[in-house]
Amino acid sequence: MSTLTHLDSKSTIELFDDYVIPNYTRYPVSLVRGEGSRVWDADGREYLDLFPGWGCNILGYSPPAVVQAIQEQAAKLIHVPNTWYTEQQGRFAEFLCTRSFGKAFFCNSGAEANEAAIKLARLHGSSEGRFRMITFEKGFHGRTFGALTATAQPKYHDGLGPLMAGFRYAAMNDLEGVAELIDDETCGIMIEPIQGEGGVRIPEDGFLQGLRNLCDEHGLLLIFDEVQTGMGRTGEWFAWQAAEVKPDVLTMAKGLAGGVACGAMIVRDEFAGDLRPGMHASTFGGNSLAMAAGLATGETIEREGLLDAVTDNAAYIHERLQAVQQELPIIKELRICGMMIGIDLTIPSGPAVGKAMEKGVLLNATSDTVVRLLPALNISREELDQGLDVVVSVLQDMAEDS
Ligand SMILES: *Cc1c(COP(=O)(O)O)cnc(C)c1O
């Protein structure tokens, strides 16, 4: 192929109108190319993306080391079923476990990682008749039936019942409430150490430790859903390390393989055997391509010192936005942990998305009033400044309109 040709956005949208199920709300733009935190649409417009790939593009678009690893791996082996051993899976498991704990199971998405965790917790509790799981309001765990039931948000359940049996919902930061929901049939507690879709909600000090204590007291597995917070997003490899509360099970996906579909569950050694042979599997899980991409992603984060960069940039963002907050009373609260930024407003946050896009910046609105940014870990200070300038001007516009 000598020149790269592509359809304009309008033609691509026509294909979708004719052939793609309209279950997503999409911006009327087709994206064709990206590089770091920049992305271009089919009509040549450039955007600075503060929310690249919904958090999956943790090193931005097409990071060179990941592209190279994928190209080299694709030429050797793309997929090998789990009836064989592959070096890539062993090495990526080693990478993740030596930076957290235990042993890994690989799958292809966040929902699947959480399904594996729910099954593991039930298998662990099965000899004592334990099967119930406690999860949290405003949480998000995925769209398959187990993960969906774990997601305590009625809007995602509408019309899909009956859901899976055995789930109970608690309010975050209410330890007594959680304790009241535990009974002889409870097998585990599952929580995001920072709620992502729920609006970058960081639990109060002591809450996660309180859950740890309850789990220890009652023999429950503590499951942290780090699908969004994992892989360096918070400035530590995993959010449990920042919170200093070690779970029994850790689930991850999104940024895990730099934008290639990949999910994983990490389980403490003493519980790893609960997922006994034959009880769970994933055909594509741990495929060589995703494993090579994941390893290249992790090694890049380490080689480029990105965990420290994240912490520095987060402090800088906090300082800049705090100064703005003084002048803009529509900013109710800033919630920042590494490259996970929630700006909670006193007004609906939805209009921020379109206004920022008009100015060439991509961001996200979630949980009614929250502007959410999940910048790439390797975003430059210059890009960050440029992006924050636009965020601030959008918030100023919104304050004037309100
Ligand atoms: C995105 C997300 C999921 C679901 O991941 P999928 O890959 O879409 O299945 C689960 N948990 C959390 C915390 C997420 O942010």
Side-chain angles (χ1 to χ4, degrees):
M1 210 163 42
S2 54
T3 50
L4 209 61
T5 55
H6 56 251
L7 296 178
D8 61 11
S9 288
K10 188 167 162 287
S11 308
T12 297
I13 291 167
E14 280 166 10
L15 283 176
F16 273 62
D17 288 345
D18 288 345
Y19 299 115
V20 179
I21 291 176
N23 62 309
Y24 298 100
T25 312
R26 298 177 194 267
Y27 309 123
V29 171
S30 159
L31 297 180
V32 292
R33 186 171 72 85
E35 202 180 309
S37 291
R38 309 254 166 203
V39 64
W40 287 267
D41 71 21
D43 309 310
R45 210 167 160 222
E46 178 182 314
Y47 304 87
L48 173 64
D49 199 344
L50 299 181
F51 195 71
W54 210 271
C56 299
N57 300 348
I58 203 152
L59 297 173
Y61 290 87
S62 297
V66 178
V67 170
Q68 191 188 341
I70 290 172
Q71 285 173 337
E72 286 173 7
Q73 186 57 47
K76 283 190 245 168
L77 277 176
I78 293 178
H79 174 68
V80 171
N82 282 299
T83 41
W84 304 85
Y85 292 93
T86 56
E87 178 184 336
Q88 290 74 28
Q89 190 175 138
R91 290 182 61 203
F92 192 35
E94 177 191 37
F95 185 94
L96 294 173
C97 295
T98 51
R99 282 151 191 82
S100 51
F101 52 79
K103 290 190 165 60
F105 164 82
F106 289 103
C107 50
N108 313 286
S109 68
E112 282 177 76
N114 288 329
E115 294 293 336
I118 294 165
K119 282 175 85 168
L120 177 102
R122 283 198 173 183
L123 288 168
H124 178 72
S126 61
S127 63
E128 294 175 11
R130 293 171 177 268
F131 62 95
R132 288 188 199 284
M133 182 82 73
I134 295 169
T135 64
F136 292 85
E137 290 162 11
K138 289 196 162 76
F140 186 84
H141 300 292
R143 304 290 198 147
T144 53
F145 265 99
L148 178 72
T149 309
T151 297
Q153 297 198 54
K155 67 176 178 185
Y156 294 132
H157 298 167
D158 194 29
L160 290 171
L163 298 178
M164 198 172 147
F167 282 78
R168 287 173 171 168
Y169 306 140
M172 198 154 80
N173 300 323
D174 178 10
L175 273 180
E176 267 174 42
V178 176
E180 279 168 20
L181 293 179
I182 296 173
D183 65 17
D184 293 345
E185 293 176 336
T186 309
C187 67
I189 297 178
M190 177 150 92
I191 188 168
E192 295 160 83
I194 299 172
Q195 288 184 336
E197 309 305 311
V200 191
R201 283 177 214 278
I202 304 168
E204 283 169 11
D205 281 350
F207 181 65
L208 295 175
Q209 183 59 50
L211 294 182
R212 177 73 271 173
N213 297 345
L214 283 173
C215 285
D216 292 344
E217 234 168 87
H218 296 274
L220 317 179
L221 292 191
L222 181 60
I223 302 164
F224 279 2
D225 176 346
E226 294 225 32
V227 168
Q228 194 160 140
T229 55
M231 211 57 180
R233 170 69 58 199
T234 64
E236 300 273 355
W237 277 111
F238 300 101
W240 71 263
Q241 292 156 330
E244 295 181 353
V245 176
K246 190 171 165 186
D248 302 304
V249 181
L250 188 59
T251 60
M252 52 189 89
K254 291 222 162 82
L256 188 56
V260 174
C262 186
M265 170 176 74
I266 305 281
V267 180
R268 286 207 207 203
D269 282 310
E270 59 263 47
F271 306 121
D274 289 327
L275 206 65
R276 25 179 227 278
M279 288 312 291
H280 197 52
S282 165
T283 299
F284 276 121
N287 68 81
S288 303
L289 198 68
M291 298 296 99
L295 195 57
T297 301
E299 286 174 348
T300 302
I301 291 170
E302 215 142 61
R303 188 177 58 246
E304 297 186 357
L306 294 180
L307 297 182
D308 290 340
V310 162
T311 304
D312 288 351
N313 279 335
Y316 177 72
I317 293 168
H318 200 261
E319 201 176 298
R320 266 205 68 174
L321 290 180
Q322 231 171 9
V324 175
Q325 190 180 16
Q326 315 271 310
E327 293 151 32
L328 280 182
I330 62 159
I331 302 180
K332 193 167 74 186
E333 191 180 26
L334 295 170
R335 296 191 289 265
I336 300 171
C337 187
M339 286 300 101
M340 198 166 175
I341 296 129
I343 308 171
D344 201 349
L345 306 179
T346 57
I347 56 174
S349 58
V353 176
K355 283 176 186 288
M357 202 186 293
E358 275 170 31
K359 296 172 195 259
V361 167
L362 305 182
L363 46 74
N364 169 256
T366 189
S367 197
D368 301 328
T369 56
V370 180
V371 171
R372 179 171 50 150
L373 314 176
L374 293 173
L377 307 192
N378 56 357
I379 191 169
S380 70
R381 188 56 72 86
E382 214 175 12
E383 289 167 327
L384 206 48
D385 265 327
Q386 194 189 341
L388 289 175
D389 286 346
V390 169
V391 171
V392 170
S393 85
V394 163
L395 293 177
Q396 280 164 344
D397 285 356
M398 289 169 70
E400 278 167 29
D401 294 349
S402 70

